[in-house]
C-alpha cells in the first residue's frame, strides 16, 4: 500500500531542488537522494520525473481549487466576489511556488526551464478552474448581475490572462506591469459584463511578494 508520507517526501524533495537547480539538471536519483529513499521506491509512486512535477503543481493548487469548487455552490455570495476570492488564492499560491530562483550558468536552459514550469501550471489552472468559473459566471447571468453571452469563453479569457501574469519571469514583466495588466482585465470585465465602473476594483489588490 502506498505510503502517504513517502509520497509527500518525494514532492518536498523536488520542491527543495527546484530552489536552486533547473528541472533539466534534476534527475530521479537526485530526488531520491534528497528524499532519503531508494530510487526504486520513486517508481512505485511515479512513472517519471515529469509525473512528480505534475503532482507537485497539483499539490500547490490543491487549496485554491478546492476553494473554487466550494465557492461555486455559494450563490448567496456575489459572483464577482467569488471570482475575486478564487483569483486571489491562485495568485498567492503562484507567488509562493514560483519565487524560487533558478541558478544556472546556461541562461537559455534557465529560460526554457521557466517556460516549461509556466506551461505546466497554466494548463493545470485552466483545466481545473474553467468549469468552476464558467458555472459562477452562469449563475451571475441567471441573477442578472452579469450580462455576457459566452460564459465559458469569458472564464477562459480571465484564466489565461491570470496564468500568464502570475509568473512575471515568463514575460520579464515587473510587478507593476502585472498589476497594470490585471487592472486592464478588470476594466474589460466591467465593460463586457455591464457592471458599473469601479465595481471590481478589489480584484486589483496587489499580492505580497509579487
Amino acid at each position: 500500500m502506498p505510503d502517504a508520507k513517502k509520497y509527500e517526501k518525494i514532492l518536498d524533495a523536488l520542491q527543495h531542488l527546484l530552489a536552486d537547480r533547473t528541472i533539466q539538471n534534476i534527475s530521479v536519483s537526485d530526488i531520491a537522494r534528497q528524499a532519503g529513499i531508494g530510487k526504486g521506491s520513486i517508481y512505485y509512486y511515479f512513472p517519471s520525473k515529469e509525473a512528480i512535477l505534475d503532482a507537485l503543481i497539483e499539490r500547490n493548487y490543491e487549496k485554491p481549487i478546492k476553494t473554487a469548487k466550494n465557492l461555486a455552490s455559494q450563490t448567496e455570495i456575489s459572483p464577482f466576489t467569488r471570482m475575486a476570492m478564487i483569483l486571489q488564492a491562485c495568485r498567492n499560491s503562484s507567488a509562493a511556488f514560483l519565487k524560487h530562483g533558478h541558478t544556472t550558468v546556461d541562461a537559455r536552459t534557465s529560460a526554457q526551464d521557466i517556460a516549461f514550469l509556466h506551461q505546466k501550471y497554466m494548463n493545470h489552472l485552466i483545466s481545473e478552474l474553467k468549469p468552476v468559473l464558467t458555472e459562477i459566471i452562469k449563475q451571475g447571468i441567471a441573477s442578472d448581475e452579469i450580462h455576457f453571452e459566452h460564459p465559458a469563453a469569458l472564464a477562459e479569457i480571465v484564466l489565461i490572462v491570470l496564468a500568464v501574469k502570475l509568473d512575471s519571469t515568463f514575460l520579464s514583466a515587473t510587478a507593476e506591469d502585472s498589476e497594470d495588466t490585471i487592472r486592464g482585465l478588470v476594466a474589460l470585465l466591467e465593460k463586457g459584463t455591464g457592471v458599473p465602473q469601479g465595481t471590481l476594483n478589489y480584484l486589483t489588490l496587489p499580492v505580497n511578494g509579487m
Side-chain angles (χ1 to χ4, degrees):
M1 181 177 292
D3 185 332
K5 289 185 179 179
K6 189 172 289 186
Y7 179 93
E8 293 298 325
K9 284 181 69 175
I10 295 169
L11 299 186
D12 290 341
L14 178 56
Q15 179 90 50
H16 178 82
L17 291 170
L18 283 171
D20 56 11
R21 295 170 64 176
T22 66
I23 296 168
Q24 289 87 350
N25 291 327
I26 297 172
S27 67
V28 173
S29 295
D30 294 330
I31 297 170
R33 192 177 305 112
Q34 179 65 38
I37 61 177
K39 181 179 178 180
S41 295
I42 296 282
Y43 292 110
Y44 179 71
Y45 295 90
F46 301 98
S48 65
K49 180 179 69 175
E50 186 170 338
I52 303 173
L53 180 61
D54 287 340
L56 179 60
I57 290 172
E58 288 176 13
R59 185 179 73 171
N60 186 67
Y61 287 105
E62 181 179 0
K63 185 175 180 179
I65 287 172
K66 183 178 179 180
T67 297
K69 291 178 178 178
N70 289 336
L71 285 170
S73 63
Q74 297 181 28
T75 54
E76 71 279 6
I77 302 175
S78 161
F80 280 119
T81 298
R82 285 181 283 159
M83 287 173 65
M85 293 168 70
I86 292 169
L87 302 189
Q88 188 68 29
C90 290
R91 293 168 78 189
N92 287 338
S93 293
S94 293
F97 181 61
L98 295 166
K99 69 182 179 182
H100 302 294
H102 294 274
T103 56
T104 174
V105 295
D106 188 343
R108 290 178 303 171
T109 300
S110 181
Q112 292 169 358
D113 194 55
I114 292 168
F116 179 70
L117 257 182
H118 191 279
Q119 182 183 26
K120 283 281 186 184
Y121 82 73
M122 184 166 63
N123 288 342
H124 183 65
L125 254 184
I126 293 172
S127 64
E128 290 290 328
L129 291 186
K130 182 180 176 181
V132 181
L133 279 182
T134 299
E135 178 58 29
I136 291 174
I137 292 167
K138 285 181 177 179
Q139 292 168 3
I141 294 171
S143 64
D144 205 34
E145 295 175 79
I146 296 175
H147 305 279
F148 200 80
E149 296 181 357
H150 308 286
L154 179 59
E156 186 168 346
I157 290 167
V158 170
L159 288 170
I160 288 173
V161 174
L162 177 72
V164 169
K165 281 303 183 178
L166 283 175
D167 179 13
S168 61
T169 57
F170 186 65
L171 293 175
S172 299
T174 65
E176 290 75 16
D177 290 335
S178 296
E179 293 304 324
D180 282 344
T181 300
I182 298 298
R183 280 191 286 270
L185 174 63
V186 166
L188 287 173
L189 279 173
E190 289 176 339
K191 290 181 180 179
T193 57
V195 300
Q197 184 176 358
T199 301
L200 308 181
N201 280 344
Y202 53 83
L203 282 176
T204 65
L205 291 174
V207 179
N208 291 334
M210 285 190 67

